[in-house]
């Protein structure tokens, strides 16, 4: 980030606790996420002129990504999220996020009438996706443990403590070859006693990080943080686990209320670290009054549980993954709906007609057979759409 006084934050190198390892903090995170942000902005506004006016900037960021890509499709990213974990090399989650953003970049180029550029970014993303799923050391897949590892350092050593996002993102972004999703899901679900403690933990075995892997600032980056919950919830939505998402929202809301809605940066490591008598009185570590959990709570509630989002063609994209008995109304976008269990009805409460894309895979079993994606509908003012089906069984993990 660039502060008003000109100070640039987080383009720094940090060292491990034992001083044996150093890693660069977030050299690619900003450009990868900016591409996705612009794509979402377009879906919200349909402002193609803004996209075209800023394509050169996005292409510069994509070139910075490519500079860190080797001939095998491996992205040497260093740290992407955890600024106290010494990921000095190729990081699985960074590669997955980059694949996703480059595919969106290809779509932005297509929307802007630049098919050659779109093809180039699509091919780059495909090459990186092919690398991701290869067995280690040529990719991130560990066939002996049937899961993806976290990172491979520049000396070739593999680091893996059963990382949540390196595995979950492979399902969310559709990277896995046929038959691998169930293996990844089994790995994640078998460790949900840890992943869902707050939610969502970085890895299942945080006690196994060594002093050469933990940054000099301490181990607080190993525990629950909003940035992991954001993507954990999207993974649960991809699986239709509405009960788990509701459980996550309820637990975070309860913690927020207990702390008068000012929340800390990292949560609940007293069962492994910082267990010096503070357990029960302070369950967070890092910065106080942090923005992350409140922002992610809204994102998970609106986009994942209620399923209200935006689309390239439609005014709104409705893809709920909610439990039976859910009712919502959002005056700001002019929509309301009710899910009784066997019936889902949406109403246009705005004074104008709306074009909706609807995908009910998250609540009805039959929708998977009817459509693998959303279907488009036009809804006049005060108009309603109703769908019926057999509700999905929504079990909650932990």
């Amino acid at each position: 980030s660039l502060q008003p006084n000109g100070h640039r934050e987080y383009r720094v190198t940090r060292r491990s606790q034992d001083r044996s390892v150093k890693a660069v903090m977030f050299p690619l995170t900003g450009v990868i996420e900016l591409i996705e942000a612009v794509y979402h902005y377009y879906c919200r506004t349909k402002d193609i002129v803004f996209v075209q006016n800023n394509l050169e900037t996005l292409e510069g960021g994509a070139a910075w990504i490519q500079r860190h890509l080797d001939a095998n499709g491996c992205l040497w990213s260093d740290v992407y999220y955890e600024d106290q974990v010494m990921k000095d090399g190729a990081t699985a989650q960074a590669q997955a996020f980059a694949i996703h953003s480059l595919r969106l970049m290809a779509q932005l180029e297509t929307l802007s009438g630049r098919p050659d550029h779109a093809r180039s970014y699509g091919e780059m993303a495909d090459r990186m996706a092919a690398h991701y799923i290869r067995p280690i050391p040529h990719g991130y897949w560990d066939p002996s443990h049937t899961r993806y590892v976290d990172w491979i350092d520049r000396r070739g050593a593999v680091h893996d403590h059963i990382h949540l996002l390196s595995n979950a993102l492979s399902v969310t972004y559709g990277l896995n070859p046929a038959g691998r999703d169930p293996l990844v899901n089994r790995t994640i679900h078998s460790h949900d006693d840890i992943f869902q403690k707050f939610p969502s933990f970085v890895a299942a075995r945080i006690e196994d990080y060594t002093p050469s892997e933990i940054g000099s600032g301490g181990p607080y980056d190993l525990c629950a943080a909003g940035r992991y919950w954001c993507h954990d919830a999207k993974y649960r939505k991809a699986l239709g686990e509405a009960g788990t998402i509701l459980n996550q929202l309820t637990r975070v809301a309860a913690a927020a209320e207990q702390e008068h809605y000012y929340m800390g940066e990292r949560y609940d490591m007293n069962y492994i670290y910082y267990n010096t008598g503070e357990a029960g009185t302070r369950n967070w570590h890092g910065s106080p009054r942090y923005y992350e959990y409140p922002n992610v709570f809204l994102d998970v509630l609106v986009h994942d549980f209620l399923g209200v989002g935006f689309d390239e063609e439609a005014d709104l994209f409705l893809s709920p993954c909610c439990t039976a008995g859910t009712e919502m109304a959002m005056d700001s976008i002019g929509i309301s709906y009710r899910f009784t269990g066997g019936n889902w009805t949406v109403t246009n409460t705005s004074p104008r007609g709306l074009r909706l894309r609807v995908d009910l895979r998250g609540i009805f079993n039959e929708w998977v057979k009817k459509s693998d994606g959303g279907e488009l509908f036009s809804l006049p003012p005060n108009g309603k759409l109703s769908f019926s089906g057999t509700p999905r069984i929504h079990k909650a993990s932990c």
Side-chain angles (χ1 to χ4, degrees):
S1 65
L2 180 64
Q3 299 300 317
N5 64 2
H7 176 65
R8 286 170 171 80
E9 290 189 327
Y10 280 119
R11 188 65 173 89
V12 298
T13 299
R14 287 188 174 152
R15 291 189 177 274
S16 60
Q17 282 186 323
D18 65 3
R19 313 295 290 176
S20 67
V21 177
K22 63 181 180 180
V24 181
M25 302 297 110
F26 319 131
L28 299 179
T29 310
V31 294
I32 290 172
E33 300 207 351
L34 182 62
I35 293 169
E36 184 175 10
V38 172
Y39 176 79
H40 286 306
Y41 172 82
Y42 172 77
C43 289
R44 177 67 180 92
T45 66
K46 310 300 187 291
D47 187 353
I48 192 61
V49 174
F50 175 87
V51 172
Q52 292 169 336
N53 287 343
N54 288 279
L55 266 181
E56 185 177 347
T57 297
L58 295 183
E59 289 168 351
W64 179 242
I65 297 171
Q66 190 171 15
R67 183 185 293 187
H68 291 76
L69 192 65
D70 69 20
N72 298 315
C74 179
L75 186 68
W76 294 89
S77 62
D78 273 48
V79 177
Y80 192 85
Y81 267 168
E82 304 100 319
D83 60 349
Q84 290 297 334
V85 182
M86 296 295 101
K87 298 188 177 183
D88 59 322
T91 305
Q93 65 178 333
Q95 180 118 356
F97 285 126
I99 292 165
H100 177 61
S101 280
L102 287 171
R103 286 174 174 170
L104 296 181
M105 186 69 189
Q107 193 59 20
L108 289 171
E109 296 282 9
T110 298
L111 291 166
S112 299
R114 294 157 61 93
D116 291 341
H117 289 72
R119 189 178 309 109
S120 176
Y121 290 122
E123 290 172 352
M124 191 189 313
D126 289 345
R127 188 167 77 254
M128 294 174 66
H131 173 84
Y132 195 97
I133 62 176
R134 293 189 189 112
I136 53 176
H138 307 293
Y140 295 103
W141 180 247
D142 181 352
S144 63
H145 293 98
T146 61
R147 64 176 182 253
Y148 290 99
V149 301
D150 189 352
W151 82 97
I152 301 174
D153 66 33
R154 284 180 169 79
R155 295 168 298 281
V158 175
H159 300 259
D160 176 39
H161 303 293
I162 315 177
H163 194 260
L164 174 62
L165 293 192
S166 68
N167 287 282
L169 295 174
S170 74
V171 176
T172 309
Y173 293 152
L175 305 180
N176 289 321
R180 190 173 291 180
D181 275 8
L183 299 176
V184 173
N185 295 338
R186 185 173 63 196
T187 291
I188 293 175
H189 288 141
S190 66
H191 294 93
D192 266 349
D193 58 328
I194 299 299
F195 288 143
Q196 298 305 308
K197 277 179 65 67
F198 183 62
S200 296
F201 268 63
V202 172
R205 306 275 311 170
I206 65 171
E207 63 271 26
D208 291 343
Y209 283 82
T210 67
S212 67
E213 294 175 319
I214 298 173
S216 59
Y220 70 84
D221 242 327
L222 306 181
C223 57
R227 67 195 74 171
Y228 303 97
W229 178 31
C230 176
H231 300 289
D232 184 16
K234 286 161 181 54
Y235 164 75
R236 307 292 168 167
K237 180 178 181 179
L239 300 185
E241 296 183 6
T244 298
I245 299 174
L246 179 61
N247 189 44
Q248 292 176 335
L249 288 164
T250 302
R251 294 174 70 184
V252 174
E257 183 179 25
Q258 185 179 10
E259 298 176 27
H260 308 290
Y261 301 98
Y262 289 109
M263 303 183 74
E265 183 177 5
R266 303 285 195 277
Y267 276 83
D268 188 13
M269 282 199 299
N270 289 328
Y271 78 106
I272 297 292
Y273 298 104
Y274 303 107
N275 50 355
T276 57
E278 289 185 293
T281 60
R282 180 189 175 199
N283 67 346
W284 59 270
H285 312 279
S287 299
R289 300 193 176 195
Y290 208 62
Y291 63 91
E292 207 165 88
Y293 265 106
N295 280 0
V296 173
F297 182 91
L298 189 62
D299 176 65
V300 172
L301 173 63
V302 174
H303 294 145
D304 300 322
F305 187 73
L306 298 177
V308 178
F310 301 98
D311 181 78
E312 289 180 22
E313 298 178 77
D315 298 306
L316 292 171
F317 183 24
L318 302 180
S319 58
C321 185
C322 57
T323 50
T326 298
E327 297 184 43
M328 63 81 72
M330 294 183 69
D331 292 340
S332 59
I333 58 174
I335 211 78
S336 68
Y337 72 66
R338 182 180 183 185
F339 176 45
T340 60
N343 187 74
W344 183 84
T345 300
V346 59
T347 303
N348 180 3
T349 61
S350 75
R352 64 185 183 89
L354 292 175
R355 189 163 169 78
L356 306 180
R357 185 180 296 279
V358 178
D359 183 348
L360 302 183
R361 283 179 288 179
I363 59 175
F364 290 141
N365 289 325
E366 290 90 342
W367 194 270
V368 178
K369 300 174 184 176
K370 185 197 319 187
S371 172
D372 289 332
E375 296 185 6
L376 286 168
F377 300 92
S378 294
L379 198 59
N382 300 313
K384 294 185 178 183
L385 280 173
S386 293
F387 301 89
S388 299
T390 303
R392 296 177 66 106
I393 298 174
H394 296 304
K395 296 181 180 179
S397 295
C398 302

